[in-house]
Amino acid sequence: MTFAISWFIVLMQFLWKYVDELVGKGLSLWIVGKIVFYAAMSLVPLALPLGILLASLMFFGQIGERLELLAMKASGVPLYRIMAPLFATVTLLSVGLFYFENTYMITSQVRMWTLLYSARFAKPELEIPERTFYNGIPGYSIYVGQRDQQHTGRMHDIMIYDHQQGNEKTRIIRADSGRITMDDSQQFLTWRLYEGQSFENMGRPTTPSDPKPSAYAKERFDYKEIVIAFDANFKVQDESDMRGRFIGKNLSQLNHAIDTTTRAIDSLRTMAASQIVELADRQSYSYSLPSRFDTTSTAQQQRELMLGSDTISTGLTLDSLMRHASVHDSLNIMRTALSQLSMIRTESQSRLDIDRGAYFEYRTNRQEWHKKFTFPVACLVFFFIGAPLGAIIRKGGLGVPVLTSVAFFITYYIIDTFGQNMIRSEKIGVVPGMWLSTLVLLPIGIVLTWQATRDSASLNTEAYGVFFRRLFGTARVRKLEYQELALEEVNYAKAQSELDKLLAYIDELLASPWLSKRFLWQRLLLERWVYSPTEPIMGHAYQASEDLISELHYTRQRMEFAKLQDLPILSQRIIPRILPDQASYRWGLRLLNIVLPLSLPLIWLLDIRRRASLRDLKTSHRLLLELRDEINKHHGGQTSDLTYND
């Protein structure tokens, strides 16, 4: 099912990419259906890794959500043994995909690209627009002022320019109305024109040097038929051209093509280097030198002897020779040198174009060779990403798995496209470019598998949610369970004492200028944050709130229990005391404040925690007053009779 979904997605991407080449060509449904079918066969290697990724995510997420995975682990079956049979299945799928790519997909690719190129060069469907010159018929330019709104095919205000004989003998035909039809063989167009006239030059137009008037023909007609040869049939090109390219070769044929192109590139480069060097030598010396590529000892000795002759020790240089020459001779020498350099550049550019063509053949065959292995390996990599990730997130269905699969597949597709573009621009080699996406995703699969086998919570979203809630001081929900059967009686006198103590701490904190909006300039100093005088009081308030919760946890009054459950979990400190109280550390914080842009993000984060703590304190103060009223309402006598020594 997941493979069918992935197959449909990549097929829709193909249709969106090539829809412009299929629409408006008059193709039959049979031809379009064949193109879609062969394209679907060619897209199997792209859809299968995505299907495996989605299936593994859904399966392991579903058994994790239903606690079946937990039951298997509890019975002593590790995760790698659970994944083993599925890994064997995915391996068989990868081998089958490789066999499919190396055999059947070659035929589908050849036929698909043959039909696509045939459709690309097919003549467009005859649809002449209004008030626009239409050039879809070779040799004619047609203008139609208005078309019949009742779709009868009748057109009005027609102008036809027939320039098949050249612009000098253009025939112009104008008609009040007309209709165009095509015969059953789809090879001829017939214009039926009414109430018009035509004009045609019979000779060359007059020129200022030849004022003799030229002959022309002018005709008026009530009805006229013009037959135009226009073959609108769809012609399929020969498949032999595509079979000779890289898409029509299997692995052994690609190896032969790679070896052949490698030898061709070596011979072309050796020949080009030899010819360019010899051309440079002929233009630099007045006598013929032995070639630099002639490695025989006789040729090299002769070359050294000729280059090291006595003429070099005469003291003459190019500059001294140019000073003794006349201006005319100097200009001729420069023109000759410029011509020779231009000749060398033209020859080099020609050789470079030939080399690029040969390298293109080598690169495309080498890329296709590696592509037959990259997609099967991608199936295994995606399995080792999807299976452990599903076991970690424990979410089945089509929601989270589809989003996660699409995100990983888009990442793979982008990296793979980037690698192929780098190969095409010759920035990197074929091997690293084709395997770049696999090398990027393989470590992710290894890490996910390792984390899943260790039952690590590093990828648990809830753990990250708790971390960020603590980081930004977001109010945490207190979870208490009401006890129908109390294990011990509540000491309301002690609870009242703890409540009063907590209220005193909260009142002191609320009255502190540090937590209020005053003294803003002090909050711009990290030293004031770390060594704030309210930090110890916040720790005492946190401990008093926890003591109060433990005392009243077993109360039988529903309203009192509800107030306890609504109490926020107070922070022990706005910032943890990570630095000892020493003068050297205080000076370090003062120096950090000098570089204010570095400390502003931390100060902003601490201010968020301050406001969250202030909000929790105000909420706690209100709930504690309501809780004290409830205790006095139901247990007023009990709290006054009992005594408690702190």
Side-chain angles (χ1 to χ4, degrees), residues 24 28 38 53 71 76 86 160-161 166 198 268 284 309 311 331 339 356 425 496 510 519 526 550 564 574 577 599 609:
S28 63
Y38 291 132
L53 174 63
L86 297 178
I160 301 175
Y161 284 84
S198 66
L268 285 173
S284 300
S309 60
T311 56
L331 289 176
S339 176
R356 285 176 176 174
S425 61
Q496 183 72 33
L510 292 176
F519 300 104
L526 282 175
S550 62
L564 288 177
I574 293 181
R577 179 59 65 84
S599 59
R609 291 177 60 91

Side-chain angles (χ1 to χ4, degrees), residues 41-326:
M41 293 297 103
S42 302
L43 293 173
V44 168
L46 195 61
L48 188 59
L50 178 59
I52 290 176
L53 174 63
L54 181 57
S56 57
L57 264 169
M58 289 179 62
F59 173 72
F60 280 91
Q62 188 173 9
I63 64 174
E65 188 177 14
R66 295 181 178 180
L67 302 181
E68 297 173 5
L69 186 61
L70 180 62
M72 285 187 280
K73 289 182 178 180
S75 62
V77 182
L79 181 63
Y80 69 88
R81 286 189 58 188
I82 301 173
M83 294 171 55
L86 297 178
F87 172 71
T89 305
V90 173
T91 303
L92 292 177
L93 286 175
S94 301
V95 175
L97 178 60
F98 171 76
Y99 179 76
F100 175 80
E101 282 188 284
N102 200 38
T103 53
Y104 300 106
M105 200 185 75
I106 295 174
T107 304
S108 64
Q109 279 189 321
V110 168
R111 294 181 179 177
M112 179 196 72
W113 287 110
T114 300
L115 290 174
L116 271 178
Y117 274 96
S118 300
R120 180 175 297 174
F121 294 106
K123 294 181 179 179
E125 188 177 8
L126 192 62
E127 185 67 28
I128 302 176
E130 294 182 356
R131 293 182 292 275
T132 302
F133 277 96
Y134 176 75
N135 299 315
I137 302 176
Y140 292 87
S141 295
I142 302 171
Y143 176 88
V144 174
Q146 184 180 1
R147 300 177 66 92
D148 198 342
Q149 300 298 329
Q150 283 74 27
H151 303 286
T152 60
R154 194 174 183 89
M155 294 171 281
H156 301 275
D157 192 12
I158 300 173
M159 185 184 302
I160 301 175
Y161 284 84
D162 181 3
H163 45 80
Q164 286 185 319
Q165 302 298 327
N167 294 328
E168 296 180 352
K169 293 186 178 182
T170 301
R171 182 173 61 157
I172 304 173
I173 304 172
R174 296 203 60 176
D176 179 69
S177 62
R179 184 181 287 108
I180 187 171
T181 59
M182 182 171 288
D183 67 332
D184 296 336
S185 64
Q186 301 287 313
Q187 293 184 352
F188 295 96
L189 291 175
T190 301
W191 276 98
R192 292 181 172 87
L193 303 175
Y194 304 92
E195 301 294 336
Q197 57 183 345
S198 66
F199 175 86
E200 180 180 2
N201 278 323
M202 304 302 294
R204 291 185 178 182
T206 59
T207 59
S209 60
D210 186 13
K212 184 179 179 180
S214 61
Y216 66 90
K218 188 174 182 181
E219 178 189 8
R220 295 181 183 272
F221 58 85
D222 295 330
Y223 175 77
K224 186 180 183 65
E225 286 189 1
I226 301 176
V227 180
I228 301 174
F230 183 80
D231 191 358
N233 293 311
F234 177 75
K235 293 183 176 61
V236 180
Q237 298 180 1
D238 190 8
E239 294 182 0
S240 59
D241 181 41
M242 289 297 171
R243 292 191 181 277
R245 300 190 180 187
F246 61 94
I247 59 174
K249 299 175 183 177
N250 56 23
L251 204 60
S252 60
Q253 292 171 340
L254 287 172
N255 282 326
H256 178 72
I258 291 171
D259 183 67
T260 303
T261 52
T262 302
R263 294 174 181 270
I265 290 174
D266 291 340
S267 61
L268 285 173
R269 291 179 177 177
T270 302
M271 186 184 302
S274 175
Q275 292 180 354
I276 295 297
V277 169
E278 289 179 2
L279 180 62
D281 285 345
R282 286 199 304 269
Q283 294 175 353
S284 300
Y285 302 98
S286 60
Y287 45 85
S288 178
L289 287 174
S291 175
R292 301 181 190 179
F293 294 90
D294 190 352
T295 57
T296 60
S297 59
T298 303
Q300 294 300 323
Q301 290 176 1
Q302 184 180 2
R303 181 181 178 86
E304 293 176 359
L305 180 63
M306 295 177 69
L307 292 177
S309 60
D310 295 337
T311 56
I312 299 178
S313 60
T314 58
L316 296 175
T317 61
L318 291 177
D319 294 336
S320 61
L321 290 174
M322 291 293 292
R323 284 195 297 269
H324 288 84
S326 63

Side-chain angles (χ1 to χ4, degrees), residues 259-504:
D259 183 67
T260 303
T261 52
T262 302
R263 294 174 181 270
I265 290 174
D266 291 340
S267 61
L268 285 173
R269 291 179 177 177
T270 302
M271 186 184 302
S274 175
Q275 292 180 354
I276 295 297
V277 169
E278 289 179 2
L279 180 62
D281 285 345
R282 286 199 304 269
Q283 294 175 353
S284 300
Y285 302 98
S286 60
Y287 45 85
S288 178
L289 287 174
S291 175
R292 301 181 190 179
F293 294 90
D294 190 352
T295 57
T296 60
S297 59
T298 303
Q300 294 300 323
Q301 290 176 1
Q302 184 180 2
R303 181 181 178 86
E304 293 176 359
L305 180 63
M306 295 177 69
L307 292 177
S309 60
D310 295 337
T311 56
I312 299 178
S313 60
T314 58
L316 296 175
T317 61
L318 291 177
D319 294 336
S320 61
L321 290 174
M322 291 293 292
R323 284 195 297 269
H324 288 84
S326 63
V327 176
H328 179 72
D329 293 338
S330 300
L331 289 176
N332 289 333
I333 293 172
M334 292 181 181
R335 291 192 187 98
T336 303
L338 183 62
S339 176
Q340 293 173 352
L341 290 175
S342 178
M343 186 185 304
I344 294 176
R345 184 178 64 179
T346 303
E347 183 69 19
S348 301
Q349 186 64 41
S350 175
R351 296 293 178 180
L352 180 61
D353 294 338
I354 296 174
D355 183 81
R356 285 176 176 174
Y359 182 75
F360 175 79
E361 292 293 329
Y362 166 79
R363 176 176 58 80
T364 52
N365 286 282
R366 191 85 185 276
Q367 282 183 263
E368 189 68 18
W369 189 92
H370 283 279
K371 191 181 292 184
K372 294 186 184 299
F373 295 95
T374 54
F375 285 117
V377 173
C379 294
L380 300 175
V381 173
F382 279 156
F383 173 74
F384 281 108
I385 291 177
L389 191 60
I392 291 173
I393 62 178
R394 296 190 293 274
K395 293 291 184 181
L398 287 172
V400 176
V402 168
L403 294 177
T404 308
S405 301
V406 170
F408 273 104
F409 186 76
I410 289 176
T411 303
Y412 174 84
Y413 187 77
I414 291 174
I415 297 174
D416 186 66
T417 305
F418 172 76
Q420 294 191 27
N421 290 335
M422 294 289 286
I423 296 173
R424 197 172 294 113
S425 61
E426 301 181 11
K427 298 293 181 60
I428 58 177
V430 176
V431 176
M434 293 300 298
W435 292 95
L436 181 62
S437 54
T438 303
L439 294 177
V440 171
L441 293 182
L442 182 60
I444 299 177
I446 295 174
V447 171
L448 288 175
T449 305
W450 173 254
Q451 295 289 340
T453 53
R454 295 174 57 249
D455 293 329
S456 175
S458 59
L459 296 176
N460 192 351
T461 56
E462 183 62 27
Y464 286 105
V466 172
F467 170 76
F468 283 107
R469 284 198 296 269
R470 290 181 178 178
L471 181 64
F472 291 101
T474 306
R476 291 168 288 171
V477 179
R478 189 183 296 276
K479 296 181 181 180
L480 299 176
E481 185 177 355
Y482 182 76
Q483 302 291 334
E484 295 289 345
L485 179 62
L487 300 179
E488 59 185 27
E489 293 293 332
V490 177
N491 190 341
Y492 283 99
K494 185 178 180 181
Q496 183 72 33
S497 175
E498 294 292 341
L499 192 149
D500 293 338
K501 186 192 303 183
L502 179 57
L503 278 174

Side-chain angles (χ1 to χ4, degrees), residues 5-25:
I5 294 174
S6 307
W7 205 6
F8 177 77
I9 291 174
V10 295
L11 184 59
M12 288 300 102
Q13 180 193 12
F14 169 82
L15 292 178
W16 292 332
K17 185 177 180 180
Y18 293 101
V19 65
D20 293 337
E21 299 183 7
L22 302 178
V23 176
K25 299 296 183 66

